[in-house]
Structure formats: C-alpha cells, structure tokens
Amino acid sequence: MGIQRLSAVDFAVLENPGVRSVQIVWPKNSPEALVTITRVTMEPGSISARHSHPNSEQIWIVERGRAALLTDQDQTDEVQAGDVVRTPAGSIHGVKNTGHEPFVYLAVTTPPQDFTPAYPGQRISN
C-alpha cells in the first residue's frame, strides 16, 4: 500500500466511563502501519489503572491538563501539558486526571496494538 490519507470518518472511538479514546491510526483502519496513534481524553477524576503493554513501547504527548502518572510500586509523578512520557515495553504505567479540566494526550504505540480489550463493554463508533 502506498500513501494513506485518513480522516475523522476513518477513526474509531472507544469509551469507558470518563475516558474517550479516539483510534486515529490503528490496526483496523491501517493494517500495514507500524504504530497505533490514539488521542485520549480523560475527564477530571477519571483513571486508567496501572497496566503494561508487554510487547509495545508507548509515547504520550500531553496536550492539555494535568495528571498523576502512575508507575510501578505505587509511585506517582505529575505530568502536564507540554510533557512527553516514554514508557518502554513491559513497564507498568497508568494515569489519573487530578486536574479540574480534561486531561488530553496523544499516544503513539509501537508495534501497533488494538486497544479494544482495554474497553470492556465499550461503545465503538466512528
């Protein structure tokens, strides 16, 4: 496949309470891509529990808000708009929106990953 142009109609939205994950580039709309690109919006107080991606590195580019980065051994670190977080494959991470506005970050994951299992009972829409 050559160059691929995607637009909003090609994106999928995964939702859990307080968390909206827009799958911009992912295995279902770009099976040959070497990354997954996701924009995550978390409402104040929402949490993505500690977890890991055994085979994928993930980089977050924080676009808006402030949150607690949850790392292994119950450690935390504050992240805010303008920060970049790199999580090597297999590293424990999570995030809790500790601010008063939405926390928004762009996640780049490689190799690509289908995140639908992280949204049990999710609503998938375009």
Side-chain angles (χ1 to χ4, degrees), residues 13-23 26 38-42 47-48 51 105 114-124:
V13 178
L14 306 177
E15 293 183 286
N16 277 332
V19 180
R20 183 173 194 266
S21 180
V22 178
Q23 307 302 292
W26 69 313
T38 307
R39 175 166 285 113
V40 179
T41 301
M42 300 179 67
I47 187 167
S48 173
H51 62 281
Y105 63 94
D114 180 349
F115 289 106
T116 54
Y119 291 81
Q122 75 273 5
R123 181 176 74 87
I124 302 174

mmCIF file of all heavy atoms in Angstrom, residues 13-23 26 38-42 47-48 51 105 114-124:
data_model
loop_
_atom_site.group_PDB
_atom_site.id
_atom_site.type_symbol
_atom_site.label_atom_id
_atom_site.label_comp_id
_atom_site.label_asym_id
_atom_site.label_seq_id
_atom_site.Cartn_x
_atom_site.Cartn_y
_atom_site.Cartn_z
ATOM 1 N N VAL A 13 -13.963 5.376 17.968
ATOM 2 C CA VAL A 13 -13.987 5.918 19.324
ATOM 3 C C VAL A 13 -14.304 4.780 20.290
ATOM 4 O O VAL A 13 -15.308 4.092 20.142
ATOM 5 C CB VAL A 13 -15.036 7.043 19.465
ATOM 6 C CG1 VAL A 13 -15.080 7.553 20.904
ATOM 7 C CG2 VAL A 13 -14.734 8.176 18.490
ATOM 8 N N LEU A 14 -13.427 4.598 21.270
ATOM 9 C CA LEU A 14 -13.643 3.627 22.342
ATOM 10 C C LEU A 14 -13.932 4.426 23.599
ATOM 11 O O LEU A 14 -13.255 5.419 23.871
ATOM 12 C CB LEU A 14 -12.395 2.762 22.550
ATOM 13 C CG LEU A 14 -11.837 2.039 21.318
ATOM 14 C CD1 LEU A 14 -10.554 1.293 21.678
ATOM 15 C CD2 LEU A 14 -12.864 1.099 20.745
ATOM 16 N N GLU A 15 -14.921 3.999 24.386
ATOM 17 C CA GLU A 15 -15.280 4.757 25.577
ATOM 18 C C GLU A 15 -15.485 3.853 26.780
ATOM 19 O O GLU A 15 -16.086 2.781 26.665
ATOM 20 C CB GLU A 15 -16.548 5.568 25.330
ATOM 21 C CG GLU A 15 -16.349 6.667 24.310
ATOM 22 C CD GLU A 15 -17.583 7.516 24.121
ATOM 23 O OE1 GLU A 15 -18.529 7.021 23.484
ATOM 24 O OE2 GLU A 15 -17.595 8.646 24.621
ATOM 25 N N ASN A 16 -14.955 4.301 27.894
ATOM 26 C CA ASN A 16 -15.226 3.789 29.231
ATOM 27 C C ASN A 16 -15.707 4.995 30.031
ATOM 28 O O ASN A 16 -15.495 6.144 29.608
ATOM 29 C CB ASN A 16 -13.962 3.215 29.875
ATOM 30 C CG ASN A 16 -13.680 1.787 29.431
ATOM 31 O OD1 ASN A 16 -14.574 1.044 29.082
ATOM 32 N ND2 ASN A 16 -12.410 1.411 29.455
ATOM 33 N N PRO A 17 -16.309 4.799 31.185
ATOM 34 C CA PRO A 17 -16.740 5.965 31.963
ATOM 35 C C PRO A 17 -15.586 6.952 32.212
ATOM 36 O O PRO A 17 -14.539 6.578 32.734
ATOM 37 C CB PRO A 17 -17.226 5.350 33.270
ATOM 38 C CG PRO A 17 -17.676 3.967 32.877
ATOM 39 C CD PRO A 17 -16.686 3.540 31.823
ATOM 40 N N GLY A 18 -15.770 8.189 31.749
ATOM 41 C CA GLY A 18 -14.794 9.248 31.965
ATOM 42 C C GLY A 18 -13.610 9.238 31.026
ATOM 43 O O GLY A 18 -12.748 10.116 31.103
ATOM 44 N N VAL A 19 -13.536 8.262 30.120
ATOM 45 C CA VAL A 19 -12.385 8.161 29.213
ATOM 46 C C VAL A 19 -12.882 7.943 27.789
ATOM 47 O O VAL A 19 -13.675 7.049 27.519
ATOM 48 C CB VAL A 19 -11.440 6.999 29.614
ATOM 49 C CG1 VAL A 19 -10.249 6.921 28.661
ATOM 50 C CG2 VAL A 19 -10.967 7.140 31.052
ATOM 51 N N ARG A 20 -12.377 8.776 26.894
ATOM 52 C CA ARG A 20 -12.717 8.654 25.468
ATOM 53 C C ARG A 20 -11.417 8.492 24.700
ATOM 54 O O ARG A 20 -10.501 9.312 24.822
ATOM 55 C CB ARG A 20 -13.438 9.920 25.013
ATOM 56 C CG ARG A 20 -13.909 9.888 23.583
ATOM 57 C CD ARG A 20 -14.761 11.148 23.320
ATOM 58 N NE ARG A 20 -15.503 11.020 22.102
ATOM 59 C CZ ARG A 20 -15.086 11.470 20.919
ATOM 60 N NH1 ARG A 20 -13.931 12.095 20.824
ATOM 61 N NH2 ARG A 20 -15.838 11.309 19.853
ATOM 62 N N SER A 21 -11.313 7.428 23.917
ATOM 63 C CA SER A 21 -10.086 7.095 23.202
ATOM 64 C C SER A 21 -10.376 7.054 21.706
ATOM 65 O O SER A 21 -11.074 6.167 21.231
ATOM 66 C CB SER A 21 -9.578 5.735 23.702
ATOM 67 O OG SER A 21 -8.399 5.375 23.051
ATOM 68 N N VAL A 22 -9.840 8.027 20.982
ATOM 69 C CA VAL A 22 -10.051 8.097 19.537
ATOM 70 C C VAL A 22 -8.887 7.380 18.858
ATOM 71 O O VAL A 22 -7.742 7.798 18.963
ATOM 72 C CB VAL A 22 -10.155 9.554 19.051
ATOM 73 C CG1 VAL A 22 -10.331 9.601 17.537
ATOM 74 C CG2 VAL A 22 -11.292 10.282 19.756
ATOM 75 N N GLN A 23 -9.218 6.288 18.181
ATOM 76 C CA GLN A 23 -8.224 5.498 17.461
ATOM 77 C C GLN A 23 -8.014 6.148 16.096
ATOM 78 O O GLN A 23 -8.819 5.970 15.191
ATOM 79 C CB GLN A 23 -8.697 4.055 17.316
ATOM 80 C CG GLN A 23 -9.098 3.398 18.628
ATOM 81 C CD GLN A 23 -7.974 3.385 19.626
ATOM 82 O OE1 GLN A 23 -6.976 2.705 19.459
ATOM 83 N NE2 GLN A 23 -8.134 4.167 20.686
ATOM 84 N N TRP A 26 -4.831 2.781 13.604
ATOM 85 C CA TRP A 26 -4.827 1.547 14.384
ATOM 86 C C TRP A 26 -4.994 0.372 13.435
ATOM 87 O O TRP A 26 -5.256 0.565 12.246
ATOM 88 C CB TRP A 26 -5.856 1.617 15.501
ATOM 89 C CG TRP A 26 -7.311 1.616 15.128
ATOM 90 C CD1 TRP A 26 -7.940 2.370 14.172
ATOM 91 C CD2 TRP A 26 -8.326 0.836 15.728
ATOM 92 N NE1 TRP A 26 -9.283 2.119 14.166
ATOM 93 C CE2 TRP A 26 -9.552 1.163 15.105
ATOM 94 C CE3 TRP A 26 -8.349 -0.109 16.741
ATOM 95 C CZ2 TRP A 26 -10.761 0.570 15.458
ATOM 96 C CZ3 TRP A 26 -9.549 -0.691 17.093
ATOM 97 C CH2 TRP A 26 -10.735 -0.352 16.457
ATOM 98 N N THR A 38 -3.356 7.293 19.056
ATOM 99 C CA THR A 38 -4.618 7.425 19.777
ATOM 100 C C THR A 38 -4.654 8.760 20.515
ATOM 101 O O THR A 38 -3.662 9.145 21.122
ATOM 102 C CB THR A 38 -4.727 6.289 20.829
ATOM 103 O OG1 THR A 38 -4.524 5.039 20.181
ATOM 104 C CG2 THR A 38 -6.055 6.300 21.528
ATOM 105 N N ARG A 39 -5.785 9.458 20.470
ATOM 106 C CA ARG A 39 -5.972 10.653 21.305
ATOM 107 C C ARG A 39 -6.912 10.268 22.436
ATOM 108 O O ARG A 39 -8.038 9.852 22.217
ATOM 109 C CB ARG A 39 -6.555 11.822 20.520
ATOM 110 C CG ARG A 39 -6.846 13.022 21.457
ATOM 111 C CD ARG A 39 -7.103 14.320 20.744
ATOM 112 N NE ARG A 39 -5.833 14.855 20.246
ATOM 113 C CZ ARG A 39 -5.509 14.972 18.964
ATOM 114 N NH1 ARG A 39 -6.349 14.610 18.025
ATOM 115 N NH2 ARG A 39 -4.342 15.458 18.599
ATOM 116 N N VAL A 40 -6.406 10.395 23.671
ATOM 117 C CA VAL A 40 -7.163 10.014 24.856
ATOM 118 C C VAL A 40 -7.589 11.277 25.600
ATOM 119 O O VAL A 40 -6.760 12.152 25.863
ATOM 120 C CB VAL A 40 -6.327 9.102 25.788
ATOM 121 C CG1 VAL A 40 -7.117 8.724 27.031
ATOM 122 C CG2 VAL A 40 -5.857 7.854 25.035
ATOM 123 N N THR A 41 -8.875 11.354 25.941
ATOM 124 C CA THR A 41 -9.407 12.454 26.742
ATOM 125 C C THR A 41 -9.984 11.855 28.013
ATOM 126 O O THR A 41 -10.849 10.979 27.959
ATOM 127 C CB THR A 41 -10.502 13.217 25.973
ATOM 128 O OG1 THR A 41 -9.942 13.722 24.749
ATOM 129 C CG2 THR A 41 -11.055 14.373 26.803
ATOM 130 N N MET A 42 -9.477 12.327 29.154
ATOM 131 C CA MET A 42 -9.922 11.837 30.458
ATOM 132 C C MET A 42 -10.576 12.974 31.237
ATOM 133 O O MET A 42 -9.986 14.049 31.394
ATOM 134 C CB MET A 42 -8.730 11.298 31.250
ATOM 135 C CG MET A 42 -8.007 10.146 30.551
ATOM 136 S SD MET A 42 -6.582 9.543 31.477
ATOM 137 C CE MET A 42 -7.411 8.839 32.914
ATOM 138 N N ILE A 47 -9.589 7.597 35.821
ATOM 139 C CA ILE A 47 -8.330 6.879 35.993
ATOM 140 C C ILE A 47 -8.191 5.771 34.955
ATOM 141 O O ILE A 47 -9.169 5.129 34.585
ATOM 142 C CB ILE A 47 -8.214 6.308 37.428
ATOM 143 C CG1 ILE A 47 -6.834 5.709 37.674
ATOM 144 C CG2 ILE A 47 -9.305 5.301 37.710
ATOM 145 C CD1 ILE A 47 -6.552 5.426 39.135
ATOM 146 N N SER A 48 -6.989 5.603 34.490
ATOM 147 C CA SER A 48 -6.596 4.439 33.702
ATOM 148 C C SER A 48 -5.656 3.668 34.634
ATOM 149 O O SER A 48 -4.533 4.116 34.908
ATOM 150 C CB SER A 48 -5.875 4.859 32.420
ATOM 151 O OG SER A 48 -5.361 3.723 31.757
ATOM 152 N N HIS A 51 -1.119 -0.736 34.302
ATOM 153 C CA HIS A 51 -1.106 -1.867 33.376
ATOM 154 C C HIS A 51 0.207 -1.821 32.613
ATOM 155 O O HIS A 51 1.012 -0.909 32.810
ATOM 156 C CB HIS A 51 -2.297 -1.770 32.408
ATOM 157 C CG HIS A 51 -2.261 -0.552 31.543
ATOM 158 N ND1 HIS A 51 -2.646 0.703 31.998
ATOM 159 C CD2 HIS A 51 -1.853 -0.383 30.269
ATOM 160 C CE1 HIS A 51 -2.487 1.585 31.031
ATOM 161 N NE2 HIS A 51 -2.003 0.945 29.970
ATOM 162 N N TYR A 105 -4.095 13.516 25.920
ATOM 163 C CA TYR A 105 -2.763 13.176 25.410
ATOM 164 C C TYR A 105 -2.874 12.365 24.130
ATOM 165 O O TYR A 105 -3.854 11.666 23.893
ATOM 166 C CB TYR A 105 -1.925 12.443 26.454
ATOM 167 C CG TYR A 105 -2.452 11.099 26.898
ATOM 168 C CD1 TYR A 105 -2.035 9.924 26.299
ATOM 169 C CD2 TYR A 105 -3.364 11.005 27.949
ATOM 170 C CE1 TYR A 105 -2.503 8.687 26.717
ATOM 171 C CE2 TYR A 105 -3.838 9.771 28.384
ATOM 172 C CZ TYR A 105 -3.396 8.627 27.760
ATOM 173 O OH TYR A 105 -3.872 7.403 28.177
ATOM 174 N N ASP A 114 -4.146 -3.179 19.176
ATOM 175 C CA ASP A 114 -5.593 -2.975 19.160
ATOM 176 C C ASP A 114 -6.032 -2.800 20.610
ATOM 177 O O ASP A 114 -5.882 -3.708 21.421
ATOM 178 C CB ASP A 114 -6.275 -4.191 18.530
ATOM 179 C CG ASP A 114 -7.789 -4.068 18.478
ATOM 180 O OD1 ASP A 114 -8.357 -3.145 19.102
ATOM 181 O OD2 ASP A 114 -8.410 -4.914 17.824
ATOM 182 N N PHE A 115 -6.544 -1.630 20.962
ATOM 183 C CA PHE A 115 -6.869 -1.328 22.357
ATOM 184 C C PHE A 115 -8.298 -1.693 22.753
ATOM 185 O O PHE A 115 -8.708 -1.435 23.887
ATOM 186 C CB PHE A 115 -6.617 0.159 22.653
ATOM 187 C CG PHE A 115 -5.144 0.482 22.684
ATOM 188 C CD1 PHE A 115 -4.553 1.174 21.645
ATOM 189 C CD2 PHE A 115 -4.362 0.071 23.740
ATOM 190 C CE1 PHE A 115 -3.197 1.458 21.659
ATOM 191 C CE2 PHE A 115 -3.003 0.343 23.776
ATOM 192 C CZ PHE A 115 -2.419 1.042 22.730
ATOM 193 N N THR A 116 -9.070 -2.310 21.877
ATOM 194 C CA THR A 116 -10.444 -2.632 22.255
ATOM 195 C C THR A 116 -10.543 -3.509 23.501
ATOM 196 O O THR A 116 -11.484 -3.321 24.282
ATOM 197 C CB THR A 116 -11.239 -3.255 21.085
ATOM 198 O OG1 THR A 116 -10.533 -4.378 20.574
ATOM 199 C CG2 THR A 116 -11.458 -2.254 19.980
ATOM 200 N N PRO A 117 -9.607 -4.439 23.777
ATOM 201 C CA PRO A 117 -9.731 -5.223 25.023
ATOM 202 C C PRO A 117 -9.643 -4.370 26.303
ATOM 203 O O PRO A 117 -10.124 -4.784 27.353
ATOM 204 C CB PRO A 117 -8.565 -6.215 24.953
ATOM 205 C CG PRO A 117 -8.284 -6.355 23.489
ATOM 206 C CD PRO A 117 -8.550 -4.986 22.925
ATOM 207 N N ALA A 118 -9.059 -3.177 26.214
ATOM 208 C CA ALA A 118 -8.963 -2.294 27.379
ATOM 209 C C ALA A 118 -10.270 -1.554 27.658
ATOM 210 O O ALA A 118 -10.374 -0.825 28.640
ATOM 211 C CB ALA A 118 -7.837 -1.279 27.180
ATOM 212 N N TYR A 119 -11.245 -1.743 26.790
ATOM 213 C CA TYR A 119 -12.527 -1.061 26.920
ATOM 214 C C TYR A 119 -13.644 -2.098 26.949
ATOM 215 O O TYR A 119 -14.468 -2.170 26.034
ATOM 216 C CB TYR A 119 -12.710 -0.057 25.764
ATOM 217 C CG TYR A 119 -11.764 1.099 25.876
ATOM 218 C CD1 TYR A 119 -10.438 0.978 25.443
ATOM 219 C CD2 TYR A 119 -12.161 2.301 26.448
ATOM 220 C CE1 TYR A 119 -9.548 2.034 25.565
ATOM 221 C CE2 TYR A 119 -11.270 3.363 26.561
ATOM 222 C CZ TYR A 119 -9.973 3.217 26.131
ATOM 223 O OH TYR A 119 -9.097 4.248 26.270
ATOM 224 N N PRO A 120 -13.704 -2.925 28.016
ATOM 225 C CA PRO A 120 -14.752 -3.950 28.079
ATOM 226 C C PRO A 120 -16.139 -3.301 28.099
ATOM 227 O O PRO A 120 -16.367 -2.314 28.773
ATOM 228 C CB PRO A 120 -14.456 -4.693 29.382
ATOM 229 C CG PRO A 120 -13.639 -3.734 30.196
ATOM 230 C CD PRO A 120 -12.900 -2.875 29.221
ATOM 231 N N GLY A 121 -17.021 -3.861 27.327
ATOM 232 C CA GLY A 121 -18.362 -3.294 27.237
ATOM 233 C C GLY A 121 -18.358 -1.952 26.551
ATOM 234 O O GLY A 121 -19.284 -1.161 26.684
ATOM 235 N N GLN A 122 -17.285 -1.647 25.817
ATOM 236 C CA GLN A 122 -17.112 -0.335 25.200
ATOM 237 C C GLN A 122 -18.136 -0.070 24.125
ATOM 238 O O GLN A 122 -18.724 -0.991 23.574
ATOM 239 C CB GLN A 122 -15.709 -0.200 24.605
ATOM 240 C CG GLN A 122 -15.495 -0.965 23.305
ATOM 241 C CD GLN A 122 -15.070 -2.400 23.499
ATOM 242 O OE1 GLN A 122 -14.998 -2.903 24.617
ATOM 243 N NE2 GLN A 122 -14.805 -3.099 22.436
ATOM 244 N N ARG A 123 -18.261 1.185 23.851
ATOM 245 C CA ARG A 123 -19.042 1.616 22.700
ATOM 246 C C ARG A 123 -18.030 2.002 21.642
ATOM 247 O O ARG A 123 -17.157 2.819 21.871
ATOM 248 C CB ARG A 123 -19.896 2.831 23.069
ATOM 249 C CG ARG A 123 -20.763 3.330 21.940
ATOM 250 C CD ARG A 123 -21.659 4.464 22.412
ATOM 251 N NE ARG A 123 -20.940 5.688 22.603
ATOM 252 C CZ ARG A 123 -20.702 6.581 21.659
ATOM 253 N NH1 ARG A 123 -21.069 6.387 20.429
ATOM 254 N NH2 ARG A 123 -20.051 7.696 21.929
ATOM 255 N N ILE A 124 -18.098 1.363 20.485
ATOM 256 C CA ILE A 124 -17.198 1.687 19.385
ATOM 257 C C ILE A 124 -18.027 2.408 18.347
ATOM 258 O O ILE A 124 -19.055 1.921 17.900
ATOM 259 C CB ILE A 124 -16.565 0.420 18.782
ATOM 260 C CG1 ILE A 124 -15.790 -0.355 19.852
ATOM 261 C CG2 ILE A 124 -15.642 0.790 17.629
ATOM 262 C CD1 ILE A 124 -15.254 -1.678 19.377
#
